[in-house]
Amino acid sequence: MSAWDTIKTAFFGGLTFLFFFVIWIYNPFVHHTEYEVPSQMEEIINDPKAAVEGRELFKTMCASCHSVRYDGMYLMSVASKPEFKKILDSFGTLIRIDEKTKEKVMFLPRDVYEAIAMNDLLMLKSSFGKIPPDLSTMYLSRGEGYLYNFILKPQEVLPGTSMPAVMTGQEENTAKIVAYLKSVSEPSKGEKVKRTIMGILVIGYFIAMGFLLWIWRKKLLANMGYGH
Ligand code: HEC
């Protein structure tokens, strides 16, 4: 290899390394903020029982403005419409039966939900300048530190936000609501186990197939007079 080749290899190798470093490890263009969560509150956030209580809290504290469609949680004003139950029966699919209330938790496609909720959503938009977002996947995009601090003190985390501070001084209940939002965005324990088993089986299959193909190739080569 000539000196020139060595320089080229080092240059493009370095560029490739830098590319993946920025993508996977540290991106200097993204604003990094660490949000602290007291360890006691972190325990609550990771407790599945707290998530069940968090769901009830969400219903009373947040569902006047926010939906969690992936968990069949809709704006209070929409869910209480007399025709809403019929819409659920016609267009919804069953997510699960609620353990506590024994009620059916139903998923509605976004277009159907927004059609029936349009007036309520526009009312919220005219009051707050923005439709309060659906929170189904908010845990995934924001993480628990941000959510805990934002819900507790919206103005401190996002100055100028139109989200009102509804949980001031209620650290524990805020943690329970974050536990709820976490439980919605994460698959259940049973589902996680199923996925792990599937992953092991798929990789095992590839390894077994690779081994069989290797034996078969050897045999073919031997038949053709290569090897022995
Ligand atoms: C009176 C209406 C109202 C209530 C009640 C309310 N919110 Fe909000 N929320 C908003 C609005 C409006 C926004 C959009 C704010 C923005 O983008 O500046 C928002 C935004 C959010 C966001 C997104 C923040 C982001 O970074 O984009 C989260 C998370 C959130 N709310 C959680 C909650 C939770 C949890 C509760 C209940 C404890 C709650 N909200 C109660 C109106 C409300």
Side-chain angles (χ1 to χ4, degrees), residues 154-222:
Q155 287 303 332
E156 272 181 35
V157 174
L158 202 66
T161 181
S162 49
M163 156 102 177
V166 289
M167 299 302 288
T168 308
Q170 302 186 53
E171 280 82 3
E172 213 164 289
N173 283 345
T174 301
K176 285 176 185 169
I177 289 174
V178 177
Y180 167 60
L181 293 176
K182 179 177 179 179
S183 73
V184 174
S185 66
E186 281 197 334
S188 66
K189 238 189 192 151
E191 179 65 26
K192 269 192 195 163
V193 170
K194 213 167 84 185
R195 288 182 194 185
T196 307
I197 293 174
M198 276 300 284
I200 292 171
L201 284 180
V202 167
I203 291 171
Y205 172 81
F206 281 128
I207 291 174
M209 278 312 273
F211 185 65
L212 288 176
L213 278 172
W214 180 70
I215 292 177
W216 187 48
R217 170 181 173 277
K218 251 189 148 174
K219 233 176 158 176
L220 281 183
L221 286 176

